[in-house]
């Protein structure tokens, strides 16, 4: 008997290599090695499977604390390195599509049951991580404690905006050639960017450690602009603490 987890893992593989557009009943069933009837028995509503896949991709993304607590390093660089993990990788990656799918299923014309809770859970997890980073810096005197909640809201809005731009204008963040093409216009044909956030974080740490003005890794002008905006945000957060009266 096929397990629900086997179907989910098959759908995750398809999403990672061919995008959410590939998650048809036929393709997922073939990837899982089951018949379409069996898949429909496990997931009677196709939207449920897409929701599970999108929520699982969001759950698997765990931004690290990196060197946020190392007070021997510049606080703005430390904050930027952490925030950079939340940015999408170059192109229209599966992480970007998962971000969009959750919101489409939550707020679309026909909302999928459980989607709004999934979006709220994902947003809460990101907010808690942001709050944790800012609280560490506040304890060291680099962030104004009374401004933390506003900064969390601003950071979430900034990251969501970058994801939306990556969805609508994938070429801005790098070469989109890995996704789609003459051989398969319905979805991506190259590898996904599941490690994109980790790469962004490592790029931030590289900059933090070296003090260089450029981050490592490939990306288009839009991705560079997104990183520059996040860097500016981190600098403003720290600068406000330095200018706020005690």
């Amino acid at each position: 008997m096929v397990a629900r987890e086997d179907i989910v893992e098959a759908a995750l593989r398809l999403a990672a290599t061919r995008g959410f557009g590939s998650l048809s009943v036929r393709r997922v069933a073939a990837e899982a090695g089951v018949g379409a009837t069996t898949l429909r028995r496990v997931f009677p509503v196709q939207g449920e499977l897409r929701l599970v896949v999108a929520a699982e991709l969001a759950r698997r993304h765990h931004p690290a604390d990196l060197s946020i607590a190392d007070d021997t390093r510049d606080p703005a660089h430390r904050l930027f390195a952490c925030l950079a993990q939340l940015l999408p990788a170059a192109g229209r990656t599966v992480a970007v599509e998962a971000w969009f799918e959750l919101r489409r299923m939550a707020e679309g014309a026909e909302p999928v049951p459980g989607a709004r809770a999934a979006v709220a859970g994902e947003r809460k997890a990101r907010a808690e991580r942001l709050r944790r980073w800012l609280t560490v810096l506040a304890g060291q005197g680099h962030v104004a404690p009374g401004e933390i909640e506003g900064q969390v809201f601003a950071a979430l809005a900034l990251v969501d905006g970058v994801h939306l731009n990556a969805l609508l204008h994938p070429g801005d963040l790098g070469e989109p050639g890995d996704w789609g093409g003459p051989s398969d216009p319905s979805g991506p044909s190259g590898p996904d960017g599941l490690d994109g956030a980790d790469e962004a974080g490592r790029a931030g740490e590289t900059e933090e450690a070296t003090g260089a003005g450029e981050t490592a890794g490939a990306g288009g002008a839009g991705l560079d602009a997104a990183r520059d905006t996040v860097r500016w945000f981190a600098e403003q957060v720290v600068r406000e603490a330095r200018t706020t009266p005690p």
Side-chain angles (χ1 to χ4, degrees):
M1 182 177 179
V2 64
R4 176 186 173 97
E5 293 76 14
D6 294 334
I7 294 175
V8 172
E9 286 300 325
L12 284 166
R13 289 194 299 272
L14 277 176
T17 57
R18 305 184 73 84
F20 270 79
S22 68
L23 298 186
S24 66
V25 171
R26 178 180 59 81
R27 281 184 170 176
V28 175
E31 181 70 19
V34 301
T37 302
T38 300
L39 188 145
R40 289 192 179 95
R41 187 182 308 120
V42 178
F43 288 99
V45 180
Q46 189 177 8
E48 181 187 357
L49 177 58
R50 297 175 73 91
L51 174 60
V52 170
V53 170
E56 178 62 17
L57 287 170
R59 187 189 67 80
R60 290 184 179 186
H61 180 207
H62 299 291
D65 290 338
L66 302 179
S67 58
I68 192 67
D70 185 356
D71 208 14
T72 65
R73 298 186 176 187
D74 182 276
H77 286 175
R78 284 183 275 152
L79 181 56
F80 164 69
C82 289
L83 291 172
Q85 298 176 98
L86 303 178
L87 297 179
R92 181 171 171 170
T93 68
V94 69
V96 171
E97 290 212 336
W99 174 90
F100 173 73
E101 279 295 309
L102 281 177
R103 285 149 183 82
R104 182 189 66 78
M105 289 184 285
E107 305 298 340
E110 298 181 1
V112 176
R116 287 184 177 176
V119 171
E122 181 231 16
R123 185 176 177 84
K124 180 181 178 181
R126 283 193 296 159
E128 288 177 348
R129 183 64 59 149
L130 286 163
R131 195 173 293 113
R132 174 174 172 171
W133 294 335
L134 292 166
T135 299
V136 169
L137 293 179
Q140 297 171 343
H142 303 305
V143 170
E147 301 296 324
I148 288 179
E149 290 307 312
Q151 291 159 353
V152 168
F153 178 85
L156 288 173
L158 175 59
V159 171
D160 281 346
V162 174
H163 277 77
L164 181 59
N165 186 75
L167 180 79
L168 299 176
H169 309 287
D172 287 355
L173 298 191
E175 292 297 328
D178 287 342
W179 283 62
S183 62
D184 184 8
S186 65
S189 57
D192 159 76
L194 279 176
D195 296 327
D198 294 335
E199 291 171 2
R202 286 194 294 271
E205 282 222 303
T206 299
E207 177 175 351
E208 178 186 356
T210 62
E214 297 181 359
T215 53
L223 183 56
D224 291 338
R227 287 173 177 157
D228 286 344
T229 302
V230 170
R231 185 184 297 107
W232 174 86
F233 174 80
E235 291 170 350
Q236 292 302 307
V237 168
V238 172
R239 184 174 294 121
E240 285 180 10
R242 291 170 178 166
T243 58
T244 301

